[in-house]
Amino acid sequence: MEPVTVLPRALSAAGAGPGDLDAARAQMGFSLAWHIVLACLGVGLPLLTLIMEWWGGHTQDPSYRLLARRWARAMGVLFAVGAVSGTILSFELGLLWPGLMGIYGQVIGLPFALEGIAFFIEAIFLGIYLYAWDRLAHRLHLLTGVPIVVAGVASAFFVVSANAWMNQPRGFTVRGGRVVHVDPWAAMLNPATPPQTTHMILAALMVACFLTSSVYAVALLRGRRDRYHRIGFTVPLALGAVITPVQLVVGDWAARFVAQYQPVKLAAMEGVYRTGSHVPLTLGGIAGKNGLRYGLEIPNGLSLLVGFSPDTVIQGLEQVPPGDRPPVTGVHLAFDLMVGCGMFLLAVGVWLLVLALHHRRRRAPWLEGMGRPLRVFLALGALTGPAAVVALECGWTVTEEGRQPWVVWGLLRVRDAVNVAPGLAIGLWLVVAVYVLMTIGTVYVLRRLTRDRPVPVAPQESDVEEYPVV
C-alpha cells in the first residue's frame, strides 16, 4: 500500500468553526444512538424468532409458531429501516470525518468490508426465510434462519472491532509522519476487541429480549392474559434474565481492561482526580474543581474492585493536561446509570426465577391468581425494555466520551479529524428530519402489523386466530 502522510488539521478560520465541530459530533452521535437500537434488534430478534419457531415445531404448540411468524415480519421491517440508517452512518464517516478516514482508512477498512459481506448474507437469507415460510419443510426453513443469526452477530463483531481499534490503535507504523507497514488483521484484532465486542453482542441480545418482553408485559397489564401473550412475555424475559449476569461479568472484564490500557478513561468514569491508593467508589455526583461533589462514597471501593486490595493504586486525571481530559460529569453519570440499569435488570430476572419456583410448587396457571404482586412484576417487566436501551446508550456514551478529546486514542484528536468545510450544522438538521420521518414510518408500520389478524401456521391451529395480537 502507498504510505499516507499524517497531517493533523486544525479547524480553519475561513472554513469550519467550533460550532461546526459540535454539529458534526452531534450528528454522528444522534445517528449512532438511533441506529444502534435497530442494530441490536437485528442481532437478537432473529435468535428469538428461531427459538420460538424451533420450539413450536418441537411441541406443536401454535402459539410459539404464531409468535415466530409475527416477529419475523417485524424483523423484516426493522432490517429495512436499519439498512437505511446504517447507510447514513457509513456516509457520515467519510463526509464528517475525512481526517480519520483519509489517514487511517486503509488501516480500519477491513472490518467495514467484512461487515458489508455479512450484511448482504443477512439480507439474502432474510428474504429466503420470509418468503419460504409456508414453502419449505419445518427443519429446512429453520436452517435458512441460521445464517441470519450468524451474520447479525458477525456484523456487530466487525463494526465494534473497528471502534475497539480507535481505543487501542494497532496494525501500522508512523514513520516520518507517514502511515506505513499496515496490517489490517492486527488492527481489527487489537487488544480491545475481545472485551468490547463480547460486551456489545451480549448487550444487543439483552436489548432485543427485554424490548420484546416489555411489549407483551404492557399487553398483559391491559388484561390480555391468554397463552399467546404469556409466552411472548416470558420467553424473551427469561432469556434476557439468563444473559444479564453473564453481561455483568463481561462488563467487569471490560472495566478492568480500561483500567489497564486506558487509565484516563477509568479516572473519568469514576471521577478520580488524584493518583493514589485506597480510592473510594463514588456513586453519583458531579465534577468539581478537585473531585466529585454530592456523590455517595464507598471507602476503598474502587481500589478493591480494580485490584482486589485497598492498596491498589488508581491513576488520577492530574496525570494528563486539562485539555486531554474527558468530560468527567457526563462520563461518570453515564457509567453509573448503565450499571444501575444492569442491576435493575438482574433484580427483575431474580424475581422471575422466584415466580417460576413458586408457580412450580403451586402447579397453577403461569402468571395467574397472584393479584397485586403480579401487576407490580408486570409493570417492572414493562420497564426492562427501556432500561436495557438506556444502559446501551449510556455504555456507548462512556466508550465515546471517555475517549475524548481523541478520535484515535493518543494519535488523532477529534478537532483534527472533522471536515473543515463550513455549514455542517445544516446537515445536522437534515439528518434529524430524516430520522424523525423514519421513526414515524417505522412505528406506523409496526402498529399496522399488530392490528392484522394472525394467520394460522397449520390447519389445526386455526383456534389461535382469536388471540389478541401484539
Side-chain angles (χ1 to χ4, degrees):
M1 295 183 180
E2 286 291 326
V4 177
T5 303
V6 180
L7 295 174
R9 307 163 305 125
L11 294 175
S12 170
D20 291 291
L21 173 60
D22 293 338
R25 294 183 62 192
Q27 180 176 335
M28 196 72 189
F30 178 80
S31 301
L32 179 60
W34 198 95
H35 174 76
I36 197 172
V37 178
L38 292 186
C40 289
L41 291 172
V43 173
L45 194 55
L47 178 61
L48 275 174
T49 303
L50 282 190
I51 290 173
M52 286 299 202
E53 185 185 358
W54 169 75
W55 191 247
H58 178 73
T59 62
Q60 296 301 309
D61 189 325
S63 298
Y64 288 93
R65 296 292 304 278
L66 181 56
L67 283 163
R69 188 156 193 172
R70 284 284 172 184
W71 295 353
R73 295 174 66 185
M75 190 167 63
V77 174
L78 295 173
F79 179 85
V81 180
V84 175
S85 60
T87 302
I88 292 175
L89 275 171
S90 65
F91 277 105
E92 287 176 343
L93 277 174
L95 293 174
L96 297 179
W97 311 107
L100 168 65
M101 302 308 295
I103 297 172
Y104 297 107
Q106 61 176 330
V107 182
I108 58 173
L110 177 62
F112 289 116
L114 294 176
E115 193 277 334
I117 295 173
F119 170 81
F120 283 115
I121 292 174
E122 186 177 4
I124 291 168
F125 280 93
L126 178 60
I128 295 172
Y129 183 77
L130 294 174
Y131 177 77
W133 191 279
D134 296 319
R135 294 172 173 83
L136 291 177
H138 171 65
R139 291 184 179 178
L140 185 58
H141 185 257
L142 271 176
L143 288 177
T144 65
V146 173
I148 304 174
V149 177
V150 175
V153 173
S155 292
F157 175 87
F158 294 135
V159 170
V160 177
S161 67
N163 183 270
W165 174 86
M166 296 163 75
N167 287 303
Q168 289 295 304
R170 299 288 192 279
F172 65 97
T173 302
V174 177
R175 182 174 299 164
R178 297 162 71 87
V179 174
V180 298
H181 303 309
V182 174
D183 184 350
W185 288 102
M188 186 175 74
L189 303 177
N190 62 82
T193 295
Q196 198 168 326
T197 54
T198 305
H199 197 44
M200 181 63 225
I201 291 169
L202 290 177
L205 295 175
M206 289 174 62
V207 167
C209 290
F210 287 120
L211 269 181
T212 303
S213 66
S214 65
V215 173
Y216 292 89
V218 172
L220 289 167
L221 283 169
R222 293 176 176 175
R224 300 176 181 178
R225 300 293 177 87
D226 52 78
R227 180 171 175 78
Y228 172 88
H229 289 92
R230 293 200 303 269
I231 293 174
F233 168 68
T234 306
V235 173
L237 183 66
L239 182 58
V242 170
I243 297 172
T244 299
V246 180
Q247 176 70 310
L248 294 178
V249 174
V250 172
D252 179 71
W253 172 30
R256 293 182 189 282
F257 178 89
V258 170
Q260 180 178 356
Y261 288 90
Q262 292 179 293
V264 175
K265 179 184 285 189
L266 178 72
M269 289 162 54
E270 299 293 356
V272 180
Y273 283 68
R274 300 292 178 188
T275 301
S277 60
H278 299 270
V279 178
L281 179 68
T282 305
L283 305 179
I286 59 175
K289 189 172 183 180
N290 297 310
L292 292 174
R293 296 183 298 172
Y294 314 117
L296 175 63
E297 289 190 355
I298 301 176
N300 302 323
L302 185 58
S303 292
L304 287 170
L305 284 175
V306 172
F308 304 107
S309 169
D311 296 323
T312 302
V313 176
I314 306 297
Q315 178 178 318
L317 290 169
E318 94 284 356
Q319 296 290 326
V320 295
D324 291 345
R325 298 174 187 174
V328 176
T329 298
V331 174
H332 174 65
L333 292 180
F335 181 72
D336 280 3
L337 186 55
M338 178 188 68
V339 175
C341 288
M343 299 307 295
F344 167 73
L345 296 174
L346 179 66
V348 174
V350 171
W351 195 350
L352 176 66
L353 177 62
V354 172
L355 285 179
L357 294 175
H358 179 68
H359 162 72
R360 188 178 183 88
R361 287 196 301 268
R362 292 174 63 239
R363 297 185 179 180
W366 174 240
L367 298 180
E368 291 293 339
M370 299 177 64
R372 184 175 180 83
L374 174 60
R375 292 194 62 82
V376 174
F377 176 69
L378 291 176
L380 294 178
L383 293 175
T384 56
V389 172
V390 169
L392 173 75
E393 301 289 4
C394 287
W396 272 105
T397 299
V398 172
T399 300
E400 299 304 300
E401 289 293 319
R403 193 175 60 241
Q404 298 301 309
W406 306 100
V407 64
V408 180
W409 183 261
L411 296 177
L412 181 66
R413 294 177 184 270
V414 175
R415 69 168 184 263
D416 296 325
V418 72
N419 193 329
V420 296
L424 297 184
I426 299 174
L428 168 62
W429 293 113
L430 288 175
V431 166
V432 169
V434 169
Y435 276 102
V436 168
L437 292 175
M438 283 201 300
T439 302
I440 294 172
T442 303
V443 172
Y444 174 77
V445 173
L446 291 177
R447 285 183 64 84
R448 284 297 300 267
L449 288 179
T450 68
R451 292 171 184 164
D452 293 341
R453 292 173 63 84
V455 179
V457 296
Q460 67 270 24
E461 297 167 4
S462 58
D463 57 315
V464 290
E465 288 190 79
E466 298 304 318
Y467 283 177
V469 177
V470 172

